[in-house]
Amino acid sequence: MSFKSPLTLQELAENSLLRNMTVAISNLDNIPSVFFPSLFKKACRKKKSSIVKAMVQVWPFPCLPLGAMIKRNDSYRRILEIILFGLDGLLCQKVPHRRCRLKVLDLRFMPLKLWDRWSVFKDHDCSEKQAAVGLSETEVKPRVKVAIDLVLKERPLNSLESFVVEWVAQREGLCLCCNYLEIWSLATYYHKDVLRKLDLNSVQELHLYNMNDITCLLNFSTYLGRMRYLRSLLLSCLWPWDCRTPVEKQQVVTQFTLQLVKLKHLQALHLDNVFFLEDHLDQLLWCLKTPLETLSVTNCLISNSDWANMFEFPCTSQLKHLSLKRVQLTHFNLEPLQTVLQKSASTLLSLDLENCHLLDCHLSAILSSLRCCTQLIWFNFYGNHFSESFLRELRDYEITLRSEGSRVVTIPGFAQLCSLLMTMLRAIRQPEKISFAGTQQAESPCWDSGGDLLPLSL
């Protein structure tokens, strides 16, 4: 026979408060702060709207992470409306309640289990410094920020997102923050009002997809320049415009890339299928004045001048992650790559050269530069063409990796080399884990019959 654990004193007290709304509201000043998350969650689930509204106005933490507590459904919409009405009451107070410390209402989706971690109640994403940037003397610093992630496509926002955007825009003392913003194609035309209502300084991660209309790209560039705390930028599937002359293309590239000068906090730049920057990649990198941690150029056409100059700028001097996936490198001189490996020797953690059409001679040249990369923990040269002799070279170059890390080498080829390579690696150091991958034969023990990639961990 099993027995339920008896309720704790805190649970008994919370249940008593929820049964008597008047007592609960009148005693919010005296309830310990540690009770608030659990009591608030129970009040929401039991739809005690009066208690929820009252608790919002005396919330004793900087952040109310509502997105971590309730799934996005009709009940969520109802609870959100109740909380926003509570915020209305808070904003109407000339002098906030002495106990209220609420600065951020976080509506971003998070796992429910995060509600039980005290760290989510701290104001860690929208700093006071970010909020103050761009405010004139006549503008009032917002009392509460509403944080939300947005994906803008060529269709209306869903009803919940639209409700939040409009509700925040209609009230003084609130601002709409968006840490993650994703924009597709012509959505900047469709959602100009949304972009105007966002605090663009709050955007830290921006993804742009299929923005192939020139006017649309140029119009958006003005928004990009105002995202001064942007940390990660992804440009994907920006195709060439055959109807444009070289002069017109140069003007477009110049107007777009000059906005990057303002992004002084950018740490990661991802370019995927971005062809309008061919012959102008060096111009983009020149505009980035601070070192990047991540540079990813994948599925892109780059010219000889792009390649010769792309690693000469300050932004590529201290890379931690470099990816050139599916960029054909065989017709380039590898000296620029060797140079950046040497410049980033003390910082580089990963190098991805998958499907770059490299041969033994190219990989051997790269190995000589990798020898000084003492922090390297991941090197992917899957999809290139090399022989067993190249694998034996790995043993000759004492590539020192972090003693506490794992070594992962991704290779194409035959499974019988796995044991050989494992022996080579263990001769250098004792890794915690070794993984091999490739795309050779179905009969290989590393692969399934469909030829899909399956790691072999030893």
Side-chain angles (χ1 to χ4, degrees), residues 376-443:
L376 188 70
I377 60 173
W378 194 77
F379 175 33
N380 178 10
F381 54 98
Y382 162 75
N384 293 291
H385 312 285
F386 55 88
S387 65
E388 181 178 342
S389 61
F390 167 72
L391 295 181
R392 293 186 179 279
E393 278 192 64
L394 290 175
R395 179 178 53 190
D396 301 328
Y397 289 93
E398 297 175 353
I399 304 174
T400 305
L401 304 182
R402 294 187 308 174
S403 60
E404 70 275 10
S406 301
R407 175 169 304 183
V408 180
V409 179
T410 306
I411 64 169
F414 30 97
Q416 58 265 37
L417 283 181
C418 290
S419 59
L420 171 64
L421 188 54
M422 183 180 67
T423 302
M424 295 177 181
L425 294 174
R426 284 181 171 164
I428 300 173
R429 55 178 287 269
Q430 293 296 318
E432 296 175 2
K433 180 181 179 181
I434 304 174
S435 296
F436 302 93
T439 56
Q440 196 189 352
Q441 304 295 334
E443 62 267 26

Side-chain angles (χ1 to χ4, degrees), residues 300-314:
C300 293
L301 292 177
I302 60 177
S303 66
N304 282 311
S305 62
D306 289 333
W307 177 253
N309 299 316
M310 69 185 294
F311 298 124
E312 295 299 324
F313 301 102

Side-chain angles (χ1 to χ4, degrees), residues 158-385:
N158 65 44
S159 60
L160 181 61
E161 291 171 338
S162 180
F163 167 72
V164 171
V165 171
E166 291 302 321
W167 193 92
V168 173
Q170 293 169 4
R171 283 156 177 80
E172 294 184 4
L174 294 179
C175 78
L176 188 62
C177 296
C178 181
N179 288 85
Y180 175 87
L181 178 61
E182 185 176 305
I183 301 178
W184 286 76
S185 192
L186 301 177
T188 48
Y189 290 136
Y190 206 99
H191 295 289
K192 281 192 287 189
D193 286 344
V194 175
L195 291 171
R196 191 180 68 251
K197 294 167 184 174
L198 285 180
D199 174 16
L200 295 177
N201 278 313
S202 68
V203 180
Q204 297 186 15
E205 185 173 355
L206 173 66
H207 292 191
L208 298 181
Y209 295 97
N210 300 332
M211 195 171 287
N212 300 321
D213 180 86
I214 293 178
T215 304
C216 182
L217 184 65
L218 292 181
N219 288 340
F220 179 77
S221 67
T222 59
Y223 296 106
L224 177 63
R226 292 163 55 195
M227 299 178 185
R228 283 174 277 183
Y229 282 87
L230 191 68
R231 296 181 181 179
S232 178
L233 173 62
L234 167 66
L235 305 178
S236 180
C237 296
L238 274 65
W239 299 93
W241 306 290
D242 296 334
C243 61
R244 293 282 171 167
T245 66
V247 174
E248 290 174 317
K249 180 182 177 183
Q250 176 65 57
Q251 292 173 341
V252 171
V253 171
T254 299
Q255 185 170 337
F256 181 79
T257 56
L258 281 178
Q259 300 300 321
L260 301 181
V261 176
K262 304 171 186 177
L263 307 182
K264 298 181 180 179
H265 296 269
L266 193 68
Q267 297 176 351
L269 176 63
H270 303 269
L271 306 176
D272 179 60
N273 277 293
V274 179
F275 294 120
F276 88 100
L277 287 174
E278 185 180 4
D279 287 323
H280 300 282
L281 185 58
D282 55 346
Q283 185 176 337
L284 181 148
L285 295 174
W286 177 85
C287 291
L288 300 176
K289 302 303 183 182
T290 53
L292 293 170
E293 291 187 0
T294 300
L295 175 61
S296 175
V297 181
T298 62
N299 296 301
C300 293
L301 292 177
I302 60 177
S303 66
N304 282 311
S305 62
D306 289 333
W307 177 253
N309 299 316
M310 69 185 294
F311 298 124
E312 295 299 324
F313 301 102
C315 66
T316 59
S317 62
Q318 300 176 34
L319 292 174
K320 291 184 178 181
H321 308 282
L322 174 60
S323 174
L324 298 170
K325 264 175 119 173
R326 293 182 289 280
V327 175
Q328 187 168 351
L329 300 180
T330 49
H331 58 287
F332 292 136
N333 186 327
L334 291 182
E335 286 185 10
L337 178 58
Q338 292 173 298
T339 299
V340 75
L341 293 178
Q342 293 166 3
K343 287 164 58 176
S344 303
S346 62
T347 59
L348 192 68
L349 299 175
S350 70
L351 176 61
D352 192 342
L353 300 177
E354 180 179 323
N355 284 313
C356 291
H357 302 272
L358 298 172
L359 304 175
D360 270 15
C361 57
H362 306 118
L363 291 167
S364 295
I366 292 169
L367 273 182
S368 63
S369 299
L370 281 182
R371 182 177 184 179
C372 61
C373 296
T374 56
Q375 302 299 310
L376 188 70
I377 60 173
W378 194 77
F379 175 33
N380 178 10
F381 54 98
Y382 162 75
N384 293 291
H385 312 285

Side-chain angles (χ1 to χ4, degrees), residues 31-34 36-37 55-56 58-63 99-102:
I31 295 175
S33 297
V34 71
F36 265 69
M55 291 186 73
V56 170
V58 296
W59 191 252
F61 307 106
C63 183
R99 194 173 191 188
C100 183
R101 297 178 58 203
L102 182 62

